[in-house]
Amino acid sequence: SAHIPKNSDGTLTSEKMSEENKGYVAFYAPIPNSPNWYLCTSVKKAELYKDTRILNESLISMWILLLFVAISVSYFVSNAATKRISVLSSAMENVRKGNLETKITLPGNDEISNLADDFNDMVVDIKELMNQSYEHQKEKRQRELQVLQSQINPHFLYNTLDTLQWKALE
């Protein structure tokens, strides 16, 4: 039996490969019932790896497309969340400037919507506290005025009586 040098992938090897054969790969298989006879074929490397190249290009194209889709989706999702946070931030700025009529509505059932609801509740609480403080200060001033009036009335009465006494003595 003749020894045919071969690679692990079943291709023939040749120590001396001519320049014209370098672009080809040779395949062989033994012919049944014919010892020392082999069926050989040679295939261009470009033809052999054509499907692999197409598959690689397809995979690369799909990865690029998926990457583009992922970046686009993440951009729109983050933009939507950022927009809602910007609405909440501008409402807070309005309240900081003194506009207590600010009310925001952010639809949804997430953390930002919960923050918006809590913000609206906080603005209502601030208005109530300011009204309570105003009423308390107003009541305090009325009491101070009453105290001053109660001090003035006896003084006025004393001055009047004192004046009458002096007129009577005169």
Side-chain angles (χ1 to χ4, degrees):
S1 125
H3 174 68
I4 298 178
K6 55 187 172 187
N7 293 326
S8 61
D9 62 356
T11 59
L12 294 175
T13 60
S14 173
E15 310 289 323
K16 298 177 181 176
M17 205 177 224
S18 68
E19 286 297 318
E20 60 190 44
N21 291 335
K22 283 191 178 182
Y24 291 88
V25 176
F27 292 98
Y28 74 95
I31 298 175
N33 300 322
S34 300
N36 298 329
W37 283 86
Y38 292 90
L39 180 61
C40 295
T41 184
S42 96
V43 179
K44 285 184 179 181
K45 285 184 181 180
E47 188 68 28
L48 182 65
Y49 297 119
K50 179 178 77 171
D51 291 337
T52 305
R53 184 179 44 83
I54 291 171
L55 180 63
N56 284 339
E57 290 172 357
S58 298
L59 286 174
I60 289 171
S61 299
M62 286 177 59
W63 276 109
I64 290 172
L65 179 67
L66 286 175
L67 181 64
F68 177 74
V69 167
I71 289 172
S72 299
V73 167
S74 65
Y75 172 77
F76 288 116
V77 168
S78 67
N79 196 20
T82 304
K83 183 178 178 184
R84 292 163 46 100
I85 291 171
S86 296
V87 168
L88 184 60
S89 178
S90 67
M92 287 180 180
E93 184 67 24
N94 284 341
V95 170
R96 189 182 70 77
K97 290 179 180 177
N99 182 5
L100 294 178
E101 298 304 318
T102 302
K103 183 174 175 113
I104 56 174
T105 304
L106 293 177
N109 193 18
D110 58 354
E111 291 83 5
I112 297 173
S113 299
N114 292 340
L115 280 173
D117 294 340
D118 291 343
F119 172 79
N120 291 333
D121 293 341
M122 181 188 68
V123 170
V124 168
D125 290 345
I126 288 172
K127 286 191 328 192
E128 287 178 11
L129 286 171
M130 287 181 70
N131 286 337
Q132 287 175 359
S133 177
Y134 174 77
E135 291 297 324
H136 180 69
Q137 291 295 327
K138 185 177 173 182
E139 190 176 304
K140 183 179 174 184
R141 285 193 183 112
Q142 286 177 347
R143 288 187 185 149
E144 288 174 353
L145 185 61
Q146 286 173 352
V147 167
L148 285 174
Q149 283 178 344
S150 68
Q151 289 175 354
I152 290 174
N153 285 341
H155 185 69
F156 180 73
L157 182 61
Y158 175 76
N159 283 344
T160 304
L161 290 175
D162 192 43
T163 303
L164 286 174
Q165 178 188 359
W166 282 105
K167 284 286 187 186
L169 288 175
E170 208 179 88

